[in-house]
Amino acid sequence: MVQRRVGNGLRWIADAYDNSFTLTLSEGLSPYELLRGVGAEDSRVVGLTRSAADLLLLRQEEDHISDLDFLDWEDEAAVARLTSGGFLPTPPAAIVRAGSVDGWAYALEDSTFHTSTYLAALSERGRAFCVHRNAKGFSDVGYALDGQVVTFFEPGLPHLTSGAPPEATLGYVNRDKVGDAAFLEWLATELDIYLPWEETEAELPAAAFT
């Protein structure tokens, strides 16, 4: 189990989600506003821990819900909430869990990248960032401001930047042979933000997407 690393604000995400992840930060939004901004309905939002979300994503449709160890499958109300929210019976394509920290809403996805499509909409009150790493280890960063995408770039591959260079827009020098962990460390320092690991493992508002 990954333990919280004091003083590394966001960098720990690169270790805790060592296969693939998406982190999204949206300035001035609440967690529910972020989820609405990526297509969720409030009535379909359910509180989930990270481990519960992982189990729901990885299960097969033919699996019995009794295999979900976080769920009392005889609790009809709990099963109904998950079913109406789109988490059951068919496994969703993505689950987005959202929280808040220091004036920012954040979203974490394990393996998927649903929120990255909505980066412009998530920046309508200020800045929005999206950091994604795929299962092959390739990563990209998106930055939007005031409803407009400003740049997408791959940490360590400056020649693949789409939009304005991050050096000009963010003051981030995209050197060769760096990766998403280095950018997460820079971002935490730049925003003066610290997201506790324990909080992200606990129950957060979550939305399912097909």
Side-chain angles (χ1 to χ4, degrees):
M1 179 179 293
V2 176
Q3 297 298 319
R4 185 180 73 180
R5 290 166 170 78
V6 176
N8 73 350
L10 296 172
R11 187 186 177 108
W12 61 266
I13 295 170
D15 297 325
Y17 294 78
D18 56 354
N19 182 41
S20 177
F21 70 88
T22 303
L23 167 71
T24 303
L25 291 168
S26 184
E27 192 171 23
L29 296 187
S30 71
Y32 281 88
E33 287 172 328
L34 187 154
L35 291 175
R36 286 197 293 269
V38 300
E41 300 175 12
D42 285 356
S43 61
R44 293 167 62 86
V45 173
V46 175
L48 291 176
T49 64
R50 178 187 173 188
S51 60
D54 286 348
L55 288 172
L56 288 164
L57 279 173
L58 294 173
R59 68 182 293 272
Q60 302 297 313
E61 188 169 3
E62 61 270 19
D63 295 341
H64 195 273
I65 58 174
S66 61
D67 294 336
L68 297 170
D69 59 15
F70 72 91
L71 176 67
D72 178 358
W73 66 276
E74 294 182 328
D75 184 341
E76 295 181 359
V79 173
R81 283 194 298 273
L82 290 171
T83 302
S84 64
F87 299 91
L88 295 173
T90 303
I95 294 177
V96 179
R97 301 169 60 245
S100 61
V101 59
D102 297 334
W104 295 77
Y106 68 86
L108 276 167
E109 298 176 63
D110 202 333
S111 303
T112 59
F113 51 94
H114 177 84
T115 53
S116 62
T117 306
Y118 299 87
L119 188 61
L122 295 176
S123 71
E124 290 183 351
R125 294 186 190 171
R127 296 165 290 177
F129 295 89
C130 186
V131 184
H132 170 67
R133 181 203 294 160
N134 66 23
K136 294 181 179 181
F138 296 103
S139 56
D140 59 59
V141 173
Y143 168 59
L145 177 66
D146 297 335
Q148 300 290 330
V149 174
V150 177
T151 185
F152 267 99
F153 64 94
E154 296 189 33
L157 298 171
H159 62 288
L160 297 179
T161 299
S162 174
E167 292 88 346
T169 59
L170 296 171
Y172 176 74
V173 180
N174 190 20
R175 298 184 177 89
D176 294 334
K177 298 182 181 179
V178 300
D180 47 67
F183 179 78
L184 289 169
E185 184 173 29
W186 176 88
L187 187 62
T189 301
E190 185 72 13
L191 302 181
D192 191 22
I193 195 170
Y194 174 70
L195 180 58
W197 168 77
E198 294 93 335
E199 178 181 315
T200 67
E201 296 287 302
E203 187 174 289
L204 294 171
F209 299 94
T210 57

